[in-house]
Amino acid sequence: MDIALFNLMSQNRADETPAEILGMTVEKVRMAERLGFDAAWFAEHHFTSHSVCPSPLMMVAHCAAVTKTLRLGPAVVVLPLHHPLRVVQEVGMLQALTGGRVNLGLGTGHQPHEFLTYAIPMAERTAILEEGWDLIERGLTTGRVALDGAHYQVPDAPIAAYPGKMPPLFLAGGEPRLLARAARAGASLFISQGHRRASAALGMREKLLVALRQHGLPDSALKLAIQRYVFVTDDPAEKRRAAEGMLRFMRTTLSLRDAVPPRDGAFMRELPFEGEPSIDWLLENAPIGSAEQVTARLVEDFHALQPVHWSLYMGFSGLPAPRVLASLERFGREVLPVLRQLAPATVEEPVAG
């Protein structure tokens, strides 16, 4: 099982600058490599403080220069917002620059305001992704591109930098035929467990299995990648601030489903939502707190959900940079070794939460 550091690069406070956020991200990636993480992911979002990174491939290129062993990738390239000719060439170039250390995450996207701003019909995002995927797959495996589709018409042409194979592939999307295609290609399927206990995430896993079964695939075809929010600290006040940051992050994430998200300039406003968890519930149930509590929650996840990949997000708290780095270091030294010892088992019923 691979364990990766996820970097959303949110602006959690109005006094943070993009330069500070991006610089902190690079420092976390370098630390993750020293601690023995397998990979680092970089998000793509546009037009809000939810993320100051519109180009995860640029972050991959930058961090490739300051790392040696860590796999690096976009989680995800929102492919409907990009011309696939650009993506295929840049991924091929990154494979050459990194010595083949690229993971490739593709996704349909889910934020209406991004599609509106780009003037791309959101209802067609799955079909657009499929055509782009066709072109990327052909280009990276054969060194040539050609496509006569509904959304892209590309004449036959060579590309100069191509690895001869697809990088390890990860998909974020919900259309059953897309999930089945990804599973047939050996890709891992992303779900965002977020703050939820394993019992609440079993339904998301089952939806993926249902989609694969509909297309004639066995349950064993599911390679599950889970995104999880974690923060390690023994300080009660810091733990509460991290829980408050998690709730704030959940609120702004949910608001991004709106056609016009609530924001002042680019900075997202925090709006409560119906049924949101309390801070006390998060303190008890989320993987926030001591190394022992974080470990227990992730071990529970592992046995219930059987992930092959964890993407762990630690940047939601809004705490100062030194405290975020301290959390990451404690996770690497106290939690990561325990997770490395986990062995696959049959799915168990998780503890209710």
Side-chain angles (χ1 to χ4, degrees):
M1 179 182 58
D2 288 341
I3 300 174
L5 178 70
F6 178 72
N7 298 283
L8 180 61
M9 294 159 281
S10 292
Q11 186 182 19
N12 294 309
R13 305 186 313 272
D15 63 343
E16 290 182 303
T17 68
E20 290 170 339
I21 295 164
L22 296 172
M24 173 64 169
T25 299
V26 175
E27 185 60 31
K28 286 190 292 183
V29 168
R30 296 175 70 179
M31 178 179 283
E33 181 171 70
R34 293 195 299 270
L35 292 169
F37 279 69
D38 298 295
W41 292 111
F42 307 96
E44 174 191 336
H45 291 294
H46 303 267
F47 316 125
T48 76
S49 59
H50 186 66
S51 175
V52 301
C53 178
S55 176
L57 296 179
M58 287 185 70
M59 289 300 296
V60 171
H62 182 81
C63 289
V66 298
T67 57
K68 296 182 182 301
T69 60
L70 205 65
R71 298 193 66 83
L72 304 166
V76 294
V77 173
V78 183
L79 196 53
L81 304 184
H82 299 265
H83 198 293
L85 270 181
R86 189 81 181 181
V87 176
V88 67
Q89 294 180 89
E90 291 183 354
V91 172
M93 182 178 171
L94 287 172
Q95 285 284 73
L97 280 172
T98 64
R101 289 191 284 134
V102 174
N103 289 336
L104 180 57
L106 300 177
T108 55
H110 66 278
Q111 297 183 14
H113 76 100
E114 294 183 336
F115 285 83
L116 286 169
T117 307
Y118 271 94
I120 293 172
M122 190 171 180
E124 298 177 31
R125 67 190 189 278
T126 296
I128 296 171
L129 184 144
E130 288 180 298
E131 288 191 13
W133 186 350
D134 289 341
L135 192 143
I136 290 169
E137 187 171 58
R138 180 176 180 186
L140 294 181
T141 57
T142 72
R144 299 197 70 86
V145 291
L147 184 66
D148 184 16
H151 300 280
Y152 301 108
Q153 293 79 45
V154 177
D156 182 78
I159 61 172
Y162 75 98
K165 62 180 181 179
M166 285 286 284
L169 190 61
F170 294 75
L171 178 77
E175 178 65 37
R177 73 174 186 273
L178 200 60
L179 298 171
R181 174 178 175 173
R184 290 193 184 98
S188 300
L189 305 181
F190 264 127
I191 63 170
S192 181
Q193 184 180 352
H195 68 288
R196 302 171 184 86
R197 293 287 289 269
S199 56
L202 280 171
M204 292 187 286
R205 183 181 190 276
E206 183 61 26
K207 286 182 180 179
L208 296 179
L209 288 172
V210 168
L212 300 189
R213 291 168 191 155
Q214 288 175 350
H215 288 264
L217 291 165
D219 290 4
S220 59
L222 175 61
K223 294 170 61 178
L224 185 63
I226 294 177
Q227 186 168 306
R228 197 69 154 107
Y229 313 148
V230 304
F231 198 89
V232 182
T233 179
D234 289 324
D235 183 277
E238 194 168 84
K239 181 177 178 180
R240 178 165 287 274
R241 283 191 63 185
E244 291 168 349
M246 179 177 283
L247 181 57
R248 180 173 58 251
F249 174 73
M250 292 161 55
R251 288 171 172 173
T252 56
T253 299
L254 191 63
S255 294
L256 289 167
R257 297 180 183 177
D258 297 340
V260 181
R263 56 192 168 177
D264 298 309
F267 198 80
M268 291 289 293
R269 293 200 300 269
E270 178 187 355
L271 299 178
F273 61 92
E274 185 176 353
E276 68 181 23
S278 67
I279 296 297
D280 288 339
W281 187 94
L282 291 172
L283 290 171
E284 180 66 26
N285 291 281
I288 297 176
S290 68
E292 292 76 16
Q293 178 171 336
V294 171
T295 300
R297 293 291 172 265
L298 294 180
V299 169
E300 175 186 299
D301 295 345
F302 179 84
H303 290 303
L305 300 170
Q306 296 184 321
V308 300
H309 183 96
W310 258 317
S311 171
L312 302 175
Y313 179 42
M314 304 182 191
F316 57 82
S317 69
L319 287 160
R323 303 313 309 151
V324 177
L325 291 173
S327 169
L328 174 57
E329 182 163 15
R330 286 202 57 197
F331 181 93
R333 301 200 181 283
E334 300 179 45
V335 182
L336 190 59
V338 178
L339 302 183
R340 294 296 189 199
Q341 298 175 19
L342 295 175
T346 57
V347 176
E348 302 173 4
E349 285 298 319
V351 177

